[in-house]
Amino acid sequence: QQQVKQSPQSLIVQKGGISIINCAYENTAFDYFPWYQQFPGKGPALLIAIRPDVSEKKEGRFTISFNKSAKQFSLHIMDSQPGDSATYFCAAPVKYGNKLVFGAGTILRVKS
Amino acid sequence: NAGVTQTPKFQVLKTGQSMTLQCAQDMNHEYMSWYRQDPGMGLRLIHYSVGAGITDQGEVPNGYNVSRSTTEDFPLRLLSAAPSQTSVYFCASSRGTTGELFFGEGSRLTVL
């Protein structure tokens, strides 16, 4: 059973637009919520992560927003660029075992 | 800067054959893990290890074995391959269970 639900499955955004990907989790062992980015033929790589003593973290054009009461967090990509076209995964640590569980992934395509 | 190295990159097996996917990291990370990636399923944890001599099961361990005799190496063994094990396999390592995961470039396995 999937403990991290990610949406949408795919997303097409115009260059310069905002890309938004959402994740919802069930129970977690601790508060650490990363987003990974994966290009075709490559392994995923950490994009940005939040440890929610804050509700938002921004790194350049990428922002994580976190809503602890709703058990949801989201990735916002501002001024989306064709080079951002990739698959994005959210993850959360499961309640038992301190292991990261990944969402199903979102395929983002930014049209130029 | 080798990071996490996986071999082979591609492999075709017949049902019932066995094989080992190799994974090595040169970052002196204690934590290593194996994931499989399937369309629409995200990354699912197969097995993980928190240090040499210590392994444990993830979400989808059936049909796979692992061992961890050294800090650097974490091979994944398929004892009797089945078509359901056709997937892309990723090895990852991190300094701890809550730190950034560093992924290899993946091993694409096809079981006929």
Side-chain angles (χ1 to χ4, degrees), chain A residues 2 30 32 36 38 41-44 46 51 89 97-105, chain B residues 31 35 37 40-43 45 48 57-59 90 97-101 103-105:
Chain A
Q2 196 171 41
F30 50 88
Y32 170 69
Y36 282 79
Q38 183 184 32
K42 300 294 185 182
L46 180 65
R51 296 184 188 272
F89 295 97
N98 290 353
K99 301 182 289 291
L100 277 182
V101 174
F102 285 81
Chain B
Y31 182 83
Y35 288 85
Q37 182 176 13
M41 302 293 288
L43 295 155
L45 182 64
Y48 68 100
Q57 296 180 352
E59 303 170 70
F90 287 99
T97 57
T98 63
E100 175 181 356
L101 279 173
F103 285 86
E105 296 211 327

Side-chain angles (χ1 to χ4, degrees), chain A residues 17-102:
Chain A
I18 302 173
S19 304
I20 302 174
I21 305 171
N22 300 300
C23 273
Y25 62 94
E26 296 177 2
N27 298 310
T28 59
F30 50 88
D31 289 338
Y32 170 69
F33 300 95
W35 285 91
Y36 282 79
Q37 180 188 54
Q38 183 184 32
F39 294 106
K42 300 294 185 182
L46 180 65
L47 178 65
I48 185 172
I50 191 169
R51 296 184 188 272
D53 47 352
V54 296
S55 60
E56 186 176 282
K57 180 175 181 180
K58 183 176 181 180
E59 290 185 357
R61 297 183 294 109
F62 301 91
T63 300
I64 297 179
S65 297
F66 180 72
N67 185 332
K68 188 170 185 176
S69 61
K71 295 186 177 180
Q72 295 176 346
F73 59 109
S74 61
L75 175 69
H76 295 234
I77 305 174
M78 310 300 288
D79 186 27
S80 298
Q81 299 296 313
D84 296 331
S85 297
T87 300
Y88 293 82
F89 295 97
C90 61
V94 297
K95 187 172 180 61
Y96 303 107
N98 290 353
K99 301 182 289 291
L100 277 182
V101 174
F102 285 81

Side-chain angles (χ1 to χ4, degrees), chain B residues 39-53:
Chain B
M41 302 293 288
L43 295 155
R44 292 182 292 169
L45 182 64
I46 304 171
H47 284 286
Y48 68 100
S49 169
V50 298

